[in-house]
Amino acid sequence: MSDTSPVIEIQNLHKAYGALEVLKGVDISAPRGNVISLIGSSGSGKSTLLRCCNLLEDSQQGEVLFKGEPVTWRGTGHGRRPSDAAQVLRIRTNLSMVFQQFNLWAHMTILQNVMEAPITVLKRDHKDVEAAARAYLDKVGIGDKCDAYPAQLSGGQQQRAAIARALCMEPEALLFDEPTSALDPELEQEVVKVIKDLATEGRTMMIVTHDMKLAADVSDHVVFLHQGLIEEQGPPDTLFGAPSSERLRGFLSATTHAA
Ligand SMILES: Nc1ncnc2c1ncn2[C@@H]1O[C@H](COP(=O)(O)OP(=O)(O)O)[C@@H](O)[C@H]1O
Ligand SMILES: [Mg+2]
């Protein structure tokens, strides 16, 4: 039997920015090989939740577990921080993030962008990393762009480079924060295709998206966040086909009309 234990799990997570409570006790789990989508209105806390998973944000209460291993903390409340730097590095390098705005280094070629973190952070062998980077760029369909700079690429190509960069870390899971939101509709589809291929391969992924069709197509489980709490969650067929909460119904009809 394949291992479906959670790669990432959060339990009763609370997160505030100063007095603004953004996450009010959220539980979420990404079993190995599963795709979890997070949907919800702007400001509902989706990005914050994703960033709490790989410890890019501090949280004040609740647990974050990576492959069953709880993050260790020191301090409490707004003073709470992870206490083990090696653990933070291990978690962060194993949960590669893909951002809405690509965040590629403008002064590096596409190949250099993909090779940077495996070499500087993971101290991997240059030759091995280069071979892997070229293979991942091929995989996302831009193997011919190795020597180009980000500004010479379309948004869709830049985002595919960012996905190759995330893959080159050989992470346990991929975290996507609105990966298609900055793209024109025709470029959006080339990125959607790459994400679908990764889902088919059995990659563990958490995806924040406004694209309900993408969420419906690739997810094993969909979570609807509303004002820092999970309002409804379930398999995509149920969530999109027979939503039980009034708020989710409202959200879905608003997003469908906007599309
Ligand atoms: N760095 C920050 N400092 C203060 N407030 C923030 C910060 N980041 C996000 N917020 C606030 O937290 C809430 C949730 O934001 P976010 O997680 O980005 O929502 P979403 O991704 O669902 O649109 C919003 O009210 C937002 O303004
Ligand atoms: Mg966001």
Side-chain angles (χ1 to χ4, degrees):
M1 240 175 70
S2 60
D3 171 19
T4 56
S5 58
V7 173
I8 183 83
E9 195 175 3
I10 65 175
Q11 298 170 347
N12 189 33
L13 202 77
H14 291 253
K15 159 77 182 172
Y17 293 105
L20 178 70
E21 266 195 281
V22 175
L23 300 176
K24 303 169 184 167
V26 174
D27 293 88
I28 208 165
S29 161
R32 184 172 300 282
N34 281 35
V35 180
I36 311 299
S37 289
L38 295 172
I39 61 170
S41 306
S42 179
S44 57
K46 305 179 298 295
S47 296
T48 302
L49 179 54
L50 211 60
R51 294 166 61 85
C52 283
C53 288
N54 69 351
L55 308 173
L56 284 175
E57 294 287 349
D58 292 318
S59 51
Q60 286 81 47
Q61 215 193 105
E63 298 308 324
V64 177
L65 295 93
F66 172 66
K67 297 205 290 181
E69 168 194 334
V71 170
T72 57
W73 312 101
R74 62 180 157 75
T76 55
H78 281 279
R80 186 171 93 154
R81 302 282 180 277
S83 62
D84 179 349
Q87 183 185 47
V88 171
L89 184 67
R90 187 162 66 246
I91 293 174
R92 215 169 271 166
T93 53
N94 269 296
L95 301 174
S96 283
M97 190 116 166
V98 175
F99 300 92
Q100 181 176 340
Q101 296 295 343
F102 330 133
N103 297 6
L104 297 170
W105 297 107
H107 65 288
M108 290 183 188
T109 66
I110 294 304
L111 183 64
Q112 288 167 341
N113 264 281
V114 176
M115 292 176 62
E116 167 74 8
I119 286 176
T120 59
V121 181
L122 302 178
K123 316 284 183 210
R124 289 199 182 133
D125 175 73
H126 190 281
K127 262 210 170 81
D128 294 349
V129 171
E130 180 170 345
R134 289 184 185 278
Y136 284 124
L137 285 165
D138 272 343
K139 182 187 172 75
V140 299
I142 51 168
D144 58 333
K145 300 294 182 192
C146 285
D147 299 323
Y149 286 86
Q152 298 170 315
L153 268 56
S154 73
Q157 291 169 332
Q158 288 187 56
Q159 189 60 302
R160 286 185 281 151
I163 293 172
R165 178 181 56 181
L167 290 169
C168 206
M169 290 297 279
E170 312 284 357
E172 297 272 353
L174 293 161
L175 310 181
F176 292 87
D177 192 356
E178 304 265 12
T180 60
S181 293
L183 302 174
D184 295 334
E186 72 271 24
L187 300 182
E188 203 170 330
Q189 286 318 305
E190 52 188 52
V191 172
V192 164
K193 180 180 180 306
V194 170
I195 294 173
K196 285 184 178 170
D197 288 347
L198 294 170
T200 307
E201 268 175 28
R203 299 252 176 198
T204 312
M205 304 197 272
M206 282 178 70
I207 307 177
V208 170
T209 185
H210 72 287
D211 181 343
M212 296 305 130
K213 186 165 181 332
L214 172 65
D217 287 350
V218 301
S219 310
D220 297 287
H221 190 79
V222 182
V223 173
F224 172 58
L225 214 58
H226 177 75
Q227 295 181 359
L229 284 170
I230 293 176
E231 169 90 8
E232 188 167 344
Q233 60 181 319
D237 288 357
T238 314
L239 223 84
F240 295 118
S244 53
S245 115
E246 191 58 50
R247 283 198 183 107
L248 176 54
R249 284 199 292 271
F251 172 77
L252 290 175
S253 81
T255 47
T256 314
H257 291 147

